[in-house]
Amino acid sequence: MTRSKLNLIVVFILLSCTLSLSQELNANFARDPGQPIDQQYTDQIHKYTTDPSFISPLVDYLPASKTVPTPAKVLGDVSGAPDMLPYAEDVYKYFRLLEASSPRVKVFSIGHSEEGREMIAVAIADAKLLADAKENDARLAKLADPRKIGLDDAKARQLIDQSWPVYYITGTIHSPETGAPTALMELAYRLAVDDAPYIKYIRSHMIVLITPVVEVDGRDRMVDIYKWHKANPDKVWPHLLYWGHYVAHDNNRDAMAMTLELTRNVLDTYLGWHAQVLHDLHESVPFLYDNTVGDGPYNAWVDPTLADEWAELGWNNVAQMQSFGMPGVFTHGDFDTWSPGYLMFLASLHNGISRLYETFGNGGADTEKRILRPEDYARTWYRQNPPLPVVKWSQRDNNNYEESALLSTISYFSRNTHHFLENYYAKSKRAVEKPSLEGPAAYVIPADPADSNRQVELLKVLKRQHVEIEQLSEAVTATVPAEKRGDKPKEEAFPAGSIVIRMDQPYSRVADALLDHQFWAAGDPQKHPYDDTGWSFSHLFNLKVVRVVDLTILKSKMTPLDDPSTLAGKVSGSGAVLAVANTGQISLLPLVYKLKGATVQVAEKSFDADGKHFAAGSLLITNTADDGVTKILHDLSLDASRLGVLPSVPVHAVSAPRIAFMHTWLGTQTEGWWRYAFDNAGVPFDYINTQTVAKQPNLRAKYDVIIFAPVGHASTLEILNGIPLWNNPMPWQKSELTPNLGAIDSTSDIRPGLGYDGLAHLKEFVEQGGLLITCEDTAQFAIDTGLAPGVSVAPQGDARVVGTVLNTVFVNREHPVAFGYGPGVPVISAGGMAFNISSILGRTGGRMLMDPLTDPLDPYAKRATGRGGVEDSDEPQGRKIAEPEPLVKQQPWEPKPLDEEQTRNNPLVIPVPSRPDVILRFSDGKNLLLDGLLDKGGSIAEHAVVVNAHLGEGNVLLFGNNPVYRGETIGTYALVFNAILNYQHLAHVSAPADKPVPAASSM
């Protein structure tokens, strides 16, 4: 028996008392016999419910009210009715009608999306609780930050006795998951109107807070798509290409970097109300997966009480739903709770409780026959009443499940508010006491002007997470842990101005989770990680961040740092030359765009001036007015020095390149993170699609750089061919029927792909001197279509990489793409993609005899079978000894050197100027893993991960890692920005493999 199953059996035993409580509560779910029922609405509920087991006594009726309108007032039918999806504006209209008609409902605007659409939160409780919400919040704020009461448990008990909790529910962060808004409309009506004793108890003991639509931009586009589908019932309808302005499904992976407005708005609301629970509603598996319990491994930085709360709430919820006879409800599943990137996890790392439902949905309001997979309807130890194998499923069924589960779990919560508030205080207190309990005491980011640009970006993230940041007023020496187990701790000095993230603060856990390192054991029982296994922002921002366990650091003199931007933007010296050092910042390229009319040169070698060191790639700027430059530098978090004369180093002039982003109509999410990064940095670009490229020759006349960011697991044939043409055209454009489509990009038919005309235009663009930037699947596309001669994808063997942070080494630090970097840079790798390099065009397949890459550790890879040892030569008998040509050592990132025999009259040999350059390679196997999961990494160790290929006069840059990912990889942004800024100076760099093999060279 596995440990996880044993733990869950213990949970069952512990919750036997919960089941009896569940049965007791079930008896209290009775209606108020004196309250009339809205019979017409109730009849429609039953009409649209496809099976009697898909409804509970909690939602099989709707109470009537003479003053409060039902959802039908706005919808024209009941919540969950077929063939109808409301826009976010209609959902909001209903909630504001509720507010106008009931003192138990208050609506608050909590912010706007990237496209300006409003987000709301709706508070529901007894009028007295809402009237006293401000006073209650002041009490909850003291429980959330126990420092305000001196960590006094007696004072906390008094506050708990006087307070009521806040339970925050969010819906439709994933736009194709369409059921939550109508379910939450009806839930709000029930909570405001129903006089059933259990609902009256909820209203009088807690505030239910609801954000019915999280991704408002995507919701409105999804409604457009659905309307098009209903207007064209016999046609195949387009899938939802753009959810939010930038990303789709990954909007639920933004809880770490917090780049999106929706994430910031939800966290600010959650913390602004000092809520105890964040409960996010999703749709996927049948019929309701309360993944509150989920599966291991659990996140290593959460308070242990949270795991107990997950078990308590999850199993109680399942037991309650079982008591209603509703099939297909379970809480243990394949969702591990390791990554803190999910929206709900904002609560987990801010001392609350994260919860999530996955309810069955049809991706719209159609009633459909659904045929389940065997694994979905199998009876398991944790799902004794599984879903039906074949089902007719409606959106009303979806709403029944969501509302029944929510009402039952909120009821349980309302009966145990004291218990959960005690836990809330205890978790907050332990967060403040973290240095003296498990540690660490603090994280220190040493003051270093070379890192200040990226430090500012990291501190902005921590500020968005509501983490307190301080700055040392004087130099401090502290004891830090040894680098290796068994070594002695060492002393480290931190200069004044260093950043301190103290762990004796309420939200220490989120800082700890982001800044610490992660390790996922290769032998972990969980073989299918749900998301990234590594994410250390210390690594991904390419910063030195020191984990300090020495408590004396907390006694050092330090002051709060409220505005991280003050760390950079300083100008020193005097003179007409403005020098900006390249230290891997994300702002050098934006600076060139903002300094209109200035002369900008890039130093090709390092130099010293103004008492500072300037690495190769630093900018030398002249002919710029003083006024405005200082503000620009401050806004971009860039330091600069004024020099009297230009330094005596080789330079090349640069100007603002003309950039285009090319996207497919297959998917827009992963490239959306790139668009976000460029917009946020202030780098302008045109946004074009593959169909545009197919129709537009002479791309080079318009663009210097084309970025083909990852599509997301797209094959080369899919990119070329698009969506099969055997069905009807599928438009994505603004119309009277679909007013929310086509704002970002549009087409009359999303089906056609790049095609071979588009491929020819791309090839011509590169051959004429353009730069094409590719990544992951688009790098594979460039290789497959001949745009990257001499580059192939390295076989991964049995290497296992799942969103892992890996170590790298720059092969040539003088290459322009490497400007400003040190010996290496941490990268995040989705699956271990790497490249092989060749100086000869070849065909895949077959076995090359004595290929040194077959196995570098295999002695038989170095010589043929015969007499002697591995370092000897064979000696044929009966003749004089003839020494063979020596075998030349080849490193995994290098092309195999070619001898005269291989180059003689061989048209496949790539000319030296056209041979690919390896810029960055993975580290050796011993040093490869930084964070996350790496198993059997030898097959990718030391292989190339960033390569610049040459075609004609231009270049194709290939990334095996994703350098611009989820707003988390600030440390690798400069790889892309360097390439763009220096796109005209990426010619082939001479490498050892370019030279003839010398006769005496051997292994």
Side-chain angles (χ1 to χ4, degrees):
M1 180 179 294
T2 65
R3 178 175 292 183
S4 61
K5 287 190 176 181
L6 194 59
N7 288 341
L8 287 168
I9 289 173
V10 173
V11 169
F12 275 124
I13 295 172
L14 291 173
L15 290 174
S16 59
C17 58
T18 299
L19 181 57
S20 63
L21 178 58
S22 166
Q23 293 165 344
E24 178 187 339
L25 286 176
N26 198 10
N28 288 334
F29 285 131
R31 309 174 189 172
D32 175 8
Q35 187 172 29
I37 291 173
D38 187 324
Q39 194 61 53
Q40 182 179 3
Y41 196 106
T42 299
D43 290 345
Q44 293 295 89
I45 290 175
H46 288 276
K47 177 182 176 182
Y48 299 142
T49 300
T50 63
D51 187 287
S53 66
F54 296 165
I55 197 167
S56 75
L58 284 65
V59 298
D60 66 356
Y61 73 99
L62 194 79
S65 172
K66 294 181 180 179
T67 57
V68 181
T70 71
K73 176 74 173 178
V74 170
L75 301 177
D77 206 337
V78 304
S79 287
D83 308 322
M84 176 270 299
L85 289 180
Y87 286 108
E89 183 179 350
D90 296 323
V91 176
Y92 297 171
K93 179 180 179 181
Y94 176 69
F95 278 106
R96 289 190 162 110
L97 284 176
L98 272 183
E99 179 184 35
S101 58
S102 171
R104 298 168 178 166
V105 180
K106 296 293 181 185
V107 178
F108 303 88
S109 182
I110 63 171
H112 293 80
S113 70
E114 283 77 6
E115 296 179 8
R117 292 179 177 87
E118 185 187 23
M119 292 177 64
I120 67 169
V122 183
I124 307 168
D126 276 351
K128 185 178 187 311
L129 267 64
L130 293 180
D132 295 339
K134 187 173 181 180
E135 291 77 7
N136 184 66
D137 184 67
R139 293 189 293 269
L140 293 178
K142 295 175 182 177
L143 297 177
D145 185 357
R147 297 173 301 180
K148 296 178 178 178
I149 56 173
L151 306 184
D152 189 326
D153 294 348
K155 292 180 180 178
R157 281 192 292 271
Q158 293 177 356
L159 293 168
I160 290 169
D161 291 340
Q162 300 166 5
S163 303
W164 50 90
V166 179
Y167 195 110
Y168 189 18
I169 305 169
T170 55
T172 314
I173 185 174
H174 286 164
S175 305
E177 301 166 11
T178 55
T182 52
L184 292 172
M185 291 165 71
E186 189 174 285
L187 177 75
Y189 176 88
R190 294 179 186 279
L191 291 174
V193 170
D194 202 330
D195 286 332
Y198 83 96
I199 287 187
K200 292 175 71 175
Y201 197 89
I202 292 171
R203 283 198 300 259
S204 62
H205 285 78
M206 60 189 291
I207 294 175
V208 176
L209 195 65
I210 295 173
T211 291
V213 183
V214 173
E215 179 53 271
V216 286
D217 297 335
R219 173 66 181 191
D220 285 358
R221 281 190 270 273
M222 183 64 201
V223 174
D224 278 4
I225 289 289
Y226 188 70
K227 285 171 58 182
W228 189 93
H229 159 60
K230 299 311 293 184
N232 299 272
D234 298 325
K235 294 182 178 180
V236 178
W237 40 309
H239 59 282
L240 188 63
L241 282 158
Y242 296 92
W243 301 14
H245 187 77
Y246 292 113
V247 299
H249 192 273
D250 261 11
N251 59 12
N252 195 36
R253 302 296 185 273
D254 188 47
M256 287 191 279
M258 296 191 63
T259 61
L260 305 177
E261 294 296 334
L262 65 85
T263 317
R264 302 178 191 185
N265 293 340
V266 168
L267 180 61
D268 289 349
T269 302
Y270 176 80
L271 296 181
W273 283 79
H274 297 98
Q276 284 62 58
V277 182
L278 179 55
H279 194 150
D280 200 23
L281 304 183
H282 289 251
E283 294 176 14
S284 62
V285 297
F287 290 140
L288 189 145
Y289 173 26
D290 178 353
N291 74 5
T292 300
V293 172
D295 200 359
Y298 281 0
N299 183 276
W301 295 267
V302 298
D303 189 289
T305 295
L306 176 60
D308 299 334
E309 292 172 317
W310 283 337
E312 178 182 354
L313 289 166
W315 289 111
N316 174 271
N317 213 174
V318 171
Q320 196 64 268
M321 295 291 281
Q322 293 283 16
S323 75
F324 303 146
M326 301 180 79
V329 180
F330 59 102
T331 190
H332 171 73
D334 61 0
F335 172 77
D336 66 74
T337 312
W338 175 248
S339 168
Y342 314 106
L343 184 77
M344 65 165 181
F345 225 79
L346 293 171
S348 297
L349 291 176
H350 291 84
N351 305 322
I353 303 170
S354 59
R355 300 195 65 189
L356 187 148
Y357 287 165
E358 295 277 8
T359 314
F360 205 33
N362 291 338
D366 289 1
T367 300
E368 302 274 9
K369 176 184 176 181
R370 303 293 300 275
I371 302 173
L372 274 57
R373 300 169 300 179
E375 60 267 29
D376 288 331
Y377 61 78
R379 182 178 59 83
T380 65
W381 64 268
Y382 58 85
R383 188 175 55 194
Q384 290 292 315
N385 184 9
L388 309 180
V390 179
V391 61
K392 183 180 181 183
W393 189 259
S394 69
Q395 183 151 271
R396 183 64 222 185
D397 297 331
N398 167 286
N399 283 197
N400 288 341
Y401 269 79
E402 285 190 333
E403 290 185 59
S404 298
L406 284 169
L407 285 168
S408 62
T409 203
I410 292 170
S411 176
Y412 178 80
F413 196 86
S414 72
R415 300 278 175 176
N416 295 275
T417 57
H418 201 277
H419 161 61
F420 288 111
L421 285 175
E422 284 179 334
N423 285 354
Y424 180 64
Y425 165 71
K427 290 182 290 185
S428 300
K429 181 181 178 183
R430 278 195 292 271
V432 173
E433 294 176 329
K434 187 174 178 61
S436 59
L437 294 174
E438 72 269 21
Y443 286 89
V444 180
I445 307 174
D448 186 346
D451 288 346
S452 61
N453 180 269
R454 296 187 308 284
Q455 288 177 352
V456 169
E457 295 303 312
L458 176 60
L459 298 182
K460 286 178 181 177
V461 172
L462 295 177
K463 278 292 186 182
R464 293 195 288 265
Q465 293 280 6
H466 293 248
V467 171
E468 298 168 3
I469 302 168
E470 303 211 25
Q471 193 170 20
L472 288 177
S473 303
E474 59 187 17
V476 171
T477 299
T479 303
V480 300
E483 293 182 4
K484 295 180 180 179
R485 183 179 295 179
D487 292 350
K488 293 182 178 180
K490 60 181 182 179
E491 298 286 312
E492 183 157 350
F494 301 106
S498 295
I499 304 301
V500 180
I501 312 299
R502 302 174 64 105
M503 291 292 102
D504 55 350
Q505 60 170 299
Y507 303 138
S508 60
R509 295 197 182 280
V510 67
D512 197 17
L514 294 181
L515 300 177
D516 204 356
H517 303 165
Q518 300 79 40
F519 179 77
W520 183 301
D524 192 279
Q526 175 61 268
K527 299 304 180 185
H528 304 285
Y530 202 82
D531 203 72
D532 294 338
T533 58
W535 58 80
S536 173
F537 278 27
S538 303
H539 285 141
L540 293 179
F541 280 63
N542 194 24
L543 291 171
K544 180 177 181 179
V545 180
V546 183
R547 188 176 189 265
V548 179
V549 296
D550 185 353
L551 293 174
T552 60
I553 189 73
L554 301 177
K555 300 176 182 178
S556 306
K557 292 183 179 180
M558 58 186 79
T559 57
L561 180 64
D562 297 322
D563 182 7
S565 68
T566 59
L567 294 179
K570 303 174 180 65
V571 180
S572 62
S574 61
V577 180
L578 194 68
V580 182
N582 188 334
T583 59
Q585 309 101 312
I586 66 170
S587 306
L588 292 186
L589 180 62
L591 177 64
V592 174
Y593 285 92
K594 291 184 180 297
L595 294 179
K596 294 180 172 60
T599 299
V600 182
Q601 296 175 307
V602 173
E604 296 177 353
K605 299 290 183 181
S606 62
F607 63 92
D608 295 311
D610 192 30
K612 302 171 186 175
H613 181 72
F614 293 81
S618 297
L619 301 187
L620 300 169
I621 304 165
T622 54
N623 300 324
T624 180
D626 290 343
D627 55 325
V629 173
T630 301
K631 183 180 186 307
I632 291 173
L633 291 169
H634 176 269
D635 292 345
L636 295 176
S637 299
L638 289 172
D639 293 334
S641 296
R642 291 199 172 275
L643 310 179
V645 294
L646 284 166
S648 299
V649 292
V651 297
H652 60 255
V654 295
S655 57
R658 302 167 299 167
I659 302 173
F661 267 81
M662 181 179 75
H663 72 90
T664 72
W665 291 104
L666 300 170
T668 62
Q669 168 165 278
T670 313
E671 60 90 11
W673 288 116
W674 288 59
R675 285 190 288 115
Y676 167 83
F678 276 63
D679 281 346
N680 194 54
V683 178
F685 58 87
D686 286 351
Y687 191 52
I688 61 177
N689 62 68
T690 49
Q691 295 177 4
T692 305
V693 171
K695 298 173 185 176
Q696 185 173 323
N698 198 15
L699 292 165
R700 188 67 185 88
K702 291 189 68 174
Y703 304 116
D704 304 310
V705 179
I706 293 178
I707 297 172
F708 195 13
V711 179
H713 308 290
S715 70
T716 296
L717 285 178
E718 287 175 317
I719 292 170
L720 287 171
N721 296 334
I723 300 169
L725 298 177
W726 50 60
N727 290 306
N728 52 272
M730 292 185 281
W732 185 275
Q733 54 193 1
K734 185 174 182 178
S735 69
E736 185 175 348
L737 186 64
T738 57
N740 299 291
L741 302 187
I744 304 172
D745 198 6
S746 65
T747 179
S748 60
D749 187 2
I750 66 173
R751 296 176 302 163
L754 177 67
Y756 290 95
D757 286 345
L759 177 60
H761 295 160
L762 270 186
K763 182 180 179 183
E764 179 187 56
F765 165 79
V766 176
E767 290 175 334
Q768 293 178 353
L771 169 63
L772 176 65
I773 298 178
T774 64
C775 178
E776 296 179 334
D777 55 358
T778 61
Q780 177 76 70
F781 161 82
I783 292 168
D784 292 344
T785 55
L787 297 176
V791 186
S792 60
V793 175
Q796 289 183 229
D798 54 359
R800 189 162 170 245
V801 173
V802 184
T804 306
V805 184
L806 300 175
N807 206 4
T808 65
V809 176
F810 282 101
V811 174
N812 182 0
R813 291 176 61 184
E814 295 185 357
H815 193 284
V817 175
F819 280 163
Y821 282 98
V825 61
V827 304
I828 193 161
S829 177
M833 186 179 190
F835 304 111
N836 282 336
I837 304 302
S838 175
S839 298
I840 186 170
L841 295 180
R843 299 174 179 85
T844 58
R847 177 175 176 268
M848 182 181 295
L849 184 62
M850 295 179 293
D851 180 2
L853 281 183
T854 301
D855 184 350
L857 301 179
D858 180 4
Y860 294 99
K862 300 178 182 178
R863 57 154 289 182
T865 302
R867 67 148 299 277
V870 69
E871 298 298 335
D872 298 319
S873 298
D874 187 32
E875 297 179 358
Q877 304 300 302
R879 74 178 201 193
K880 291 184 177 181
I881 304 302
E883 288 294 331
E885 287 290 320
L887 296 174
V888 179
K889 184 176 182 179
Q890 175 193 358
Q891 299 290 356
W893 66 88
E894 294 177 334
K896 184 176 182 178
L898 303 179
D899 58 25
E900 295 177 20
E901 191 68 24
Q902 293 164 311
T903 58
R904 183 183 301 113
N905 195 34
N906 188 349
L908 298 182
V909 174
I910 302 173
V912 170
S914 298
R915 293 179 184 176
D917 298 311
V918 175
I919 299 167
L920 191 68
R921 65 169 175 87
F922 284 134
S923 299
D924 61 81
K926 183 179 180 181
N927 298 296
L928 183 56
L929 175 64
L930 291 175
D931 305 291
L933 167 64
L934 175 64
D935 188 19
K936 301 179 178 65
S939 59
I940 63 171
E942 299 189 274
H943 279 72
V945 67
V946 180
V947 176
N948 186 41
H950 308 279
L951 188 66
E953 299 298 319
N955 301 275
V956 177
L957 188 62
L958 303 99
F959 286 94
N961 66 301
N962 189 342
V964 186
Y965 178 71
R966 292 181 175 175
E968 300 171 5
T969 56
I970 295 296
T972 49
Y973 279 19
L975 296 173
V976 178
F977 290 166
N978 278 342
I980 293 172
L981 185 60
N982 299 281
Y983 79 94
Q984 293 176 302
H985 302 274
L986 302 178
H988 175 68
V989 178
S990 180
D994 296 334
K995 301 173 184 177
V997 178
S1001 175
S1002 70
M1003 297 185 67

